[in-house]
Amino acid sequence: MGSGARYYRSGSAGSRLHPDDPDLSLIRSARVLHVTGITLALSDSAREAVRVVLAEARDAGVLVSLDVNHRHTLWSRDEASTMLRETLPSVDVLFATEEEARLVVDEHDPVDLTEAPVRCAAVCLAGMWRARARTASRA
């Protein structure tokens, strides 16, 4: 059952996001940077802009969170998986459904992303009937 939402990315403002657009001083002074998989899916230039802000945040010691927010109408599972796996090393906190988390892990239980080869400090998984979270310290 789908939500009925429609995404019109071609020519949208988000799809025109360019790596030179973000104010990096804002990124450097932030406590938390939150990004979404939807922006990664919009266009090559939007994807590169996300890479730029993630690199800046990492260099500045800013906590980075990512909501996978996979939308199959924007990109395929394979495309999403490839890009999310490239992005994950820059992420401290991952928000995903269990199905979305499987885009970035293979045989691991998605909640074990705190222990997988590419680890997040915290993983928050939402499901139809439950939500789970785990931190690297298991607290």
Side-chain angles (χ1 to χ4, degrees):
M1 174 190 279
S3 68
R6 302 283 185 257
Y7 295 95
Y8 301 100
R9 69 179 175 175
S10 180
S12 69
S15 72
R16 294 179 182 176
L17 183 62
H18 187 273
D20 294 335
D21 291 338
D23 181 342
L24 298 182
S25 68
L26 292 175
I27 303 301
R28 286 189 296 273
S29 65
R31 291 177 56 205
V32 177
L33 171 68
H34 181 73
V35 295
T36 174
I38 290 176
T39 307
L40 292 167
L42 292 177
S43 67
D44 290 339
S45 65
R47 190 172 303 128
E48 189 56 36
V50 171
R51 284 187 184 123
V52 166
V53 297
L54 288 174
E56 193 67 28
R58 293 272 36 113
D59 289 348
V62 173
L63 182 82
V64 174
S65 67
L66 168 68
D67 184 346
V68 170
N69 216 344
H70 180 249
R71 298 294 182 257
H72 70 277
T73 56
L74 292 177
W75 55 354
S76 71
R77 285 189 63 80
D78 287 343
E79 291 173 305
S81 180
T82 298
M83 184 50 52
L84 291 165
R85 287 172 191 250
E86 289 176 16
T87 304
L88 202 59
S90 298
V91 173
D92 298 302
V93 180
L94 179 72
F95 295 93
T97 64
E98 288 188 36
E99 181 180 333
E100 289 170 337
R102 292 193 190 288
L103 293 168
V104 295
V105 293
D106 295 316
E107 70 282 348
H108 299 288
D109 179 347
V111 79
D112 285 335
L113 276 167
T114 56
E115 298 173 353
V118 176
R119 38 186 301 159
C120 295
V123 178
C124 304
L125 298 178
M128 182 73 86
W129 305 109
R130 65 181 177 181
R132 296 189 292 166
R134 178 181 237 167
T135 64
S137 65
R138 301 186 196 308

